[in-house]
């Protein structure tokens, strides 16, 4: 029956996304280690589901650069180098610069901080930034990653270009996957993690792009220096 088939397709698609999200979180939490191998069958048994949505989820994560697929051995968590991290930071900076240009050009879909109708959106982004900063100050990496990804996803949407926002989100997930391979070696991350989220929002609200760019440049430099230091240990 067409209706039944359609509902089944939606259910499978939802399950596929849920599995992909769960596995991504496992990688970010360090429970799936770089280079760790697993099969579709193993993941399907772990989650108690059929192989089809698991295979689709793993293919999605491979397309996002988080896993490597091996025709004979299944999948494994991608291992990134420090050079990979530098390249990701460079790419991330270029995407953010494109967003600044979109804001400067006054894209019709961009959030205008001086527009009362946008106040709730901007306030929500700032709250996300405050939560990320608290997690960073406490050295709680898992909580920080969750709020940081949400912060940048919501901030990216404010620039009015959904393609740039989507690309930035994918890059940020990749950089976190690369970074946690090194960050989780430290038992105490207090004082090590970037916490300039609200300062960036305030600069954008003031339409002070020069200050916003300086904050991003300092953030990028901090990130690269930290990962290089940890990788050299």
């Amino acid at each position: 029956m067409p209706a039944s088939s359609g509902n089944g397709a939606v259910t499978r698609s939802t399950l596929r996304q849920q599995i992909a999200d769960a596995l991504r979180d496992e990688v970010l939490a360090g429970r799936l280690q770089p280079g760790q191998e697993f099969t579709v069958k193993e993941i399907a048994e772990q989650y108690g589901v059929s192989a089809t949505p698991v295979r689709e989820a793993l293919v999605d994560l491979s397309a996002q650069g988080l896993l490597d697929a091996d025709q004979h051995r299944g999948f494994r968590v991608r291992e990134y180098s420090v050079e990979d991290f530098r390249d990701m930071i460079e790419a991330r900076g270029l995407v953010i610069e494109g967003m600044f240009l979109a804001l400067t050009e006054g894209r019709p879909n961009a959030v205008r901080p001086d527009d009362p109708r946008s106040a709730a959106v901007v306030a929500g982004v700032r709250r996300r930034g405050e939560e990320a900063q608290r997690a960073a100050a406490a050295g709680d990496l898992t909580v920080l990653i969750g709020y940081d990804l949400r912060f940048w996803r919501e901030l990216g949407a404010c620039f009015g270009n959904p393609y740039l926002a989507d690309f930035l989100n994918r890059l940020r997930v990749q950089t976190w996957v690369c970074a946690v391979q090194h960050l989780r070696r430290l038992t105490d991350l207090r004082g090590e993690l970037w916490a300039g989220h609200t300062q960036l929002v305030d600069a954008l609200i003031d339409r002070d792009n020069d200050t916003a760019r300086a904050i991003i440049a300092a953030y990028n430099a901090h990130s690269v220096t930290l990962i290089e230091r940890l990788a050299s240990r």
Side-chain angles (χ1 to χ4, degrees):
M1 298 286 293
S4 174
S5 175
N7 185 60
V10 171
T11 301
R12 193 181 77 186
S13 177
T14 302
L15 186 57
R16 166 186 184 170
Q17 187 59 54
Q18 289 174 341
I19 295 169
D21 290 344
L23 289 172
R24 185 198 68 179
D25 290 345
E26 290 287 301
V27 173
L28 289 170
R31 290 186 288 270
L32 283 176
Q33 295 288 322
Q36 185 171 339
E37 298 178 349
F38 47 85
T39 65
V40 170
K41 183 175 182 291
E42 289 170 343
I43 299 299
E45 291 176 349
Q46 177 181 337
Y47 288 101
V49 297
S50 66
T52 299
V54 170
R55 185 178 296 105
E56 292 170 342
L58 294 176
V59 169
D60 288 345
L61 292 175
S62 297
Q64 294 169 27
L66 306 188
L67 303 178
D68 288 320
D70 188 306
Q71 184 177 356
H72 303 290
R73 304 182 68 170
F75 295 82
R76 64 176 177 272
V77 180
R78 177 167 294 184
E79 297 180 83
Y80 289 108
S81 67
V82 174
E83 186 59 36
D84 288 326
F85 187 76
R86 294 192 197 99
D87 289 345
M88 291 175 197
I89 295 295
E90 180 182 6
R92 199 174 72 184
L94 292 173
V95 173
I96 293 174
E97 180 59 28
M99 290 179 163
F100 282 134
L101 292 175
L103 189 64
T104 303
E105 294 168 359
R107 289 182 59 89
N109 294 329
V111 168
R112 292 178 56 84
D114 54 349
D115 183 348
R117 294 172 298 179
S118 301
V121 175
V122 174
V125 174
R126 200 177 197 286
R127 282 195 299 272
R128 236 59 83 206
E130 290 169 352
E131 294 291 349
Q133 287 185 191
R134 279 193 281 270
D140 192 330
L141 185 58
T142 299
V143 173
L144 169 61
I145 291 172
Y147 277 115
D148 180 81
L149 288 174
R150 189 170 178 184
F151 169 83
W152 283 98
R153 188 164 57 247
E154 294 180 7
L155 180 63
C158 292
F159 287 91
N161 187 324
Y163 296 98
L164 281 175
D166 181 64
F167 189 37
L168 177 61
N169 182 62
R170 293 182 62 171
L171 277 171
R172 293 201 63 79
V173 171
Q174 280 186 305
T175 53
W176 272 123
V177 168
C178 182
V180 296
Q181 299 176 7
H182 303 285
L183 291 173
R184 294 197 181 277
R185 298 176 187 173
L186 296 179
T187 56
D188 188 353
L189 284 166
R190 287 174 295 181
E192 298 283 1
L193 303 167
W194 182 76
H197 301 75
T198 57
Q199 292 94 324
L200 177 60
V201 173
D202 291 343
L204 292 172
I205 290 174
D206 294 338
R207 304 189 81 80
D208 186 350
N209 285 352
D210 289 340
T211 296
R213 284 185 171 96
I215 291 171
I216 293 297
Y219 173 31
N220 290 342
H222 166 86
S223 300
V224 171
T225 299
L226 175 60
I227 297 306
E228 287 178 340
R229 173 165 61 84
L230 294 176
S232 68
R233 290 186 173 186

